[in-house]
Amino acid sequence: MTNAGDAILFLDAPANHDRTAEGTTPLPLSFTGSAGEYFRIWIVNLFLAVITLGIYSAWAKVRSRQYLYRHTWLDGASFDYLADPLKILKGRIIAVTVLGSVVFAQQYSIALYLVGIAVVLLATPWVTVKALGFNARNSAWRNVRFSFHGTTGQAFLEYLKGLGIAVITLGIGASLLRWRVTRFAVVSHAFGKLPFRFRTTGSEYFAAHFMAGMVGGMMMPLFGLIGFFVGGIDTESRREVGLMVGFGAAYFVMFAFLKARLASLVWGGMDIGPHRLSATLTFWRVLWLQATNLVAIACTLGLAYPWAKLRYHRYLVSQITLHASGPLFTESVPSTNSGGATGDALGEIVGFDLGFG
Amino acid sequence: MIVSFEAVFYDGKTSQPHAVRVSVDEGGAVHLVGDGIERDFSPSDLRISPRLGNALRSISLPDDQKIETSDNDAVDDLSHRAGGGGGSRLLHRFEGSWSWVVGSLVGVLVAFGAGAVWGIPLGARLVATRVPDALAHRLSIDTLAVLDTTAFHPSEASSESRTRVEAAFRRVAALHPDLPLRLELRKCGTPNAFALPDGTVVVTDELLALAEADDELAAVIAHEVGHVRHRHGLRAVLEQSSVAIMVGVVFGDVGSISAAVASLPVLYSQAGYSRSHEAEADEFAVTLMRDAGVSPHHFATILRKLETAAGGSAPGPLQYLSTHPPTDERVAGLE
């Protein structure tokens, strides 16, 4: 939808779009990046990161993220990522030092290592808040930045309540922990003066996990048996390998199911001010994308990674629609807090997944 | 007026877009007109974002004002006139040039290949030889304690087979008084022997039952002493964590699904390093056996028996995930 000159097309939007019965205008998100261009940017920046012994990796991260943001369009305007690479570099140095000390402690004494792990786990709410905050403040659309007003204390309470439910229900309610943290993450965001709300309920989350469990429960014995017999009738070790591959495949299918469902629930459950988002990712499409991405990355020793990443991003974006209840207008709020990127870097290394992917 | 392009102006207070025409004069001064807006900016007011392919380009102005345009060439020109932007243009040229792309590709592959094949093993060897003995001992005690509570049971070997293995152990250990060697027996369900970094050699009851000749036991112990001598335990830990870090750097922001993919190079390289350690320990064992007067064919015999007990060798492609070289290859090396 976007090429030269398109940048000014949106001036008469959204009034010209078709209005639906409820009086909202559907504005689909779209992605215009190309895999070839993204690969070139990725490989050149990776090379620069290697020859600078990792220092340039902070600039590389900003550039690759900017590529995704600036090619993601809503209502004729693209998103932008504005993080300062120097801040990211500082954050990465601190994060690597902290985690390096924990790993070193592991070599030295189990007790010290356990203390380190406990500290890192206790720091999870802090890392969540800092990472989300850094990302929100540095994301913008039409020159208005997103913001994040959640506090570590609130995050800590959400984790505590969620963990409590998970423990009392013997793990059955663990999906509610995930839901609480995701809800907290969403409702703590704002775009300019428009607050975010989250319509997705805990029971929808629970149902998604329950269904995924059912899918896994059916696939595990089936795929396991297939693997067991295909693996070989002759030797025991081959059968074991076959069984493991079968279980792996079943897990993969279950994971794709959950990913599709959660992404739909998270993105489709957001309200931004008076506007509503909807998202419908289908299981088969996500399974196909994930499976082909896995094969491509494995066969190219990782070189297909940018292609795979861009492919999934393109699909995710194409499934999200914003239902505007009027012109997409908001005032920007002067940024008060310009915190560092340590939490963002820690979150990246430890690996958070709130289901936004 | 030298350059002129269409753009969208934002006033920094709201998300309201204003269509404007931007004109740039000789010295890089900027004039905006349109939609009830008329503003002038000097070159020093402009912060031009680096070019990124043909993505929408933004120019930040004072007071959070901003213009966005898709006319990248005009902005390049403006950035040139306003002085600066050289680095940005250079980077864009690199990213657009196939020779740079191919060069980077080769450079990255060579850097990671060389790092994985030579750099990491060399670094691990250098660090491993400098790890204090006290630390190696501590690590070994913890490891054995964990194995004892999870996989191992106390040995149920008869006093007769105990005497056999202890004699074989003394024969081999006597040739290496420089190493703090120690023998431990355990029961774990499969015939196996392994070495801990501090010189502890663990032999399982099942291996004792499998080895009919005493020389077969001596051969296996000689191989394990090779692991101790070359500090393979510590080197494996160092190599594995280095690969994990390297993979983490490349696929920095992987989602959880790609994490499974990212673990593939870790698995492959671990197996590769392990196979080279095994070969090194075999080589060491042959020399040691010669000194101890043990014929290498005993080693070949016990390797064959171990392979049979494990249910045959792994099928073709899975060999790359195997932590030991194929038994045929090892036996051929011995003969």
Side-chain angles (χ1 to χ4, degrees), chain B residues 279-304:
Chain B
E280 211 172 38
D282 280 355
E283 208 182 298
F284 179 91
V286 170
T287 320
L288 190 54
M289 282 187 284
R290 196 179 327 114
D291 295 347
V294 177
S295 162
H297 86 257
H298 290 296
F299 192 35
T301 312
I302 190 75
L303 284 180
R304 287 273 182 231

Side-chain angles (χ1 to χ4, degrees), chain A residues 45 63 143 294 297 330 332, chain B residues 13 15 51 64 95 256 261:
Chain A
N45 283 280
R63 226 166 149 69
N143 200 27
L294 182 85
I297 291 176
T330 186
S332 43
Chain B
K13 297 184 182 73
S15 64
R51 180 167 184 168
D64 292 330
E95 288 165 352
S256 35
V261 183

Side-chain angles (χ1 to χ4, degrees), chain A:
Chain A
M1 78 178 258
T2 311
N3 28 47
D6 237 13
I8 49 168
L9 278 184
F10 59 80
L11 291 175
D12 18 53
N16 285 358
H17 291 268
D18 300 334
R19 294 206 153 221
T20 57
E22 315 95 65
T24 60
T25 312
L27 300 170
L29 267 75
S30 68
F31 183 72
T32 55
S34 94
E37 196 173 43
Y38 187 57
F39 174 78
R40 296 204 296 271
I41 289 172
W42 180 75
I43 194 75
V44 169
N45 283 280
L46 179 58
F47 177 65
L48 292 173
V50 168
I51 58 173
T52 55
L53 301 174
I55 292 170
Y56 186 80
S57 69
W59 280 262
K61 174 193 166 165
V62 171
R63 226 166 149 69
S64 110
R65 191 166 279 210
Q66 269 175 352
Y67 189 87
L68 294 180
Y69 275 53
R70 289 189 186 171
H71 287 95
T72 303
W73 295 77
L74 168 66
D75 194 23
S78 71
F79 289 81
D80 203 357
Y81 184 66
L82 307 158
D84 175 6
L86 265 178
K87 270 189 185 168
I88 292 183
L89 180 64
K90 249 171 66 187
R92 287 193 166 179
I93 291 173
I94 296 173
V96 167
T97 313
V98 168
L99 292 174
S101 324
V102 174
V103 173
F104 181 76
Q106 170 195 21
Q107 307 292 324
Y108 214 79
S109 122
I110 292 281
L112 211 59
Y113 173 65
L114 291 178
V115 170
I117 291 289
V119 169
V120 170
L121 282 182
L122 275 178
T124 303
W126 183 85
V127 173
T128 310
V129 166
K130 291 294 161 188
L132 290 169
F134 184 79
N135 203 38
R137 276 193 308 281
N138 288 303
S139 303
W141 181 78
R142 280 192 181 156
N143 200 27
V144 173
R145 289 177 189 242
F146 290 77
S147 62
F148 187 83
H149 49 77
T151 65
T152 306
Q154 290 167 342
F156 186 78
L157 271 181
E158 294 295 341
Y159 273 106
L160 206 63
K161 286 182 194 164
L163 275 176
I165 294 170
V167 170
I168 291 170
T169 57
L170 302 174
I172 297 166
S175 52
L176 294 176
L177 165 64
R178 214 169 175 187
W179 172 71
R180 279 187 168 274
V181 174
T182 308
R183 186 186 59 173
F184 163 76
V186 172
V187 301
S188 302
H189 273 88
F191 173 65
K193 288 195 169 160
L194 303 178
F196 276 58
R197 277 186 308 275
F198 198 46
R199 298 185 311 272
T200 302
T201 59
S203 46
E204 284 172 295
Y205 244 66
F206 182 81
H209 284 82
F210 181 77
M211 296 264 285
M214 296 286 279
V215 169
M218 286 188 295
M219 294 292 164
M220 285 277 177
L222 183 67
F223 281 31
L225 270 179
I226 294 172
F228 186 82
F229 287 115
V230 170
I233 328 291
D234 46 348
T235 63
E236 196 144 316
S237 68
R238 280 191 209 185
R239 275 187 190 172
E240 268 170 32
V241 170
L243 198 66
M244 292 314 290
V245 171
F247 280 164
Y251 181 77
F252 192 82
V253 172
M254 181 176 89
F255 195 88
F257 180 89
L258 192 61
K259 192 177 174 79
R261 194 78 201 101
L262 284 189
S264 305
L265 284 175
V266 172
W267 289 103
M270 289 184 197
D271 279 348
I272 306 173
H275 316 295
R276 189 171 57 83
L277 282 184
S278 72
T280 37
L281 283 81
T282 56
F283 163 52
W284 292 112
R285 196 84 183 100
V286 171
L287 180 64
W288 164 250
L289 282 172
Q290 299 283 30
T292 42
N293 280 353
L294 182 85
V295 170
I297 291 176
C299 290
T300 58
L301 297 171
L303 286 178
Y305 169 67
W307 173 79
K309 182 171 173 160
L310 193 125
R311 238 173 125 225
Y312 184 74
H313 182 79
R314 182 196 303 278
Y315 174 66
L316 172 67
V317 163
S318 72
Q319 296 312 105
I320 300 176
T321 302
L322 186 126
H323 302 269
S325 68
L328 300 182
F329 178 84
T330 186
E331 290 165 45
S332 43
V333 175
S335 162
T336 46
N337 177 5
S338 51
T342 309
D344 185 54
L346 273 170
E348 221 166 55
I349 300 174
V350 178
F352 275 126
D353 185 15
L354 294 177
F356 286 98

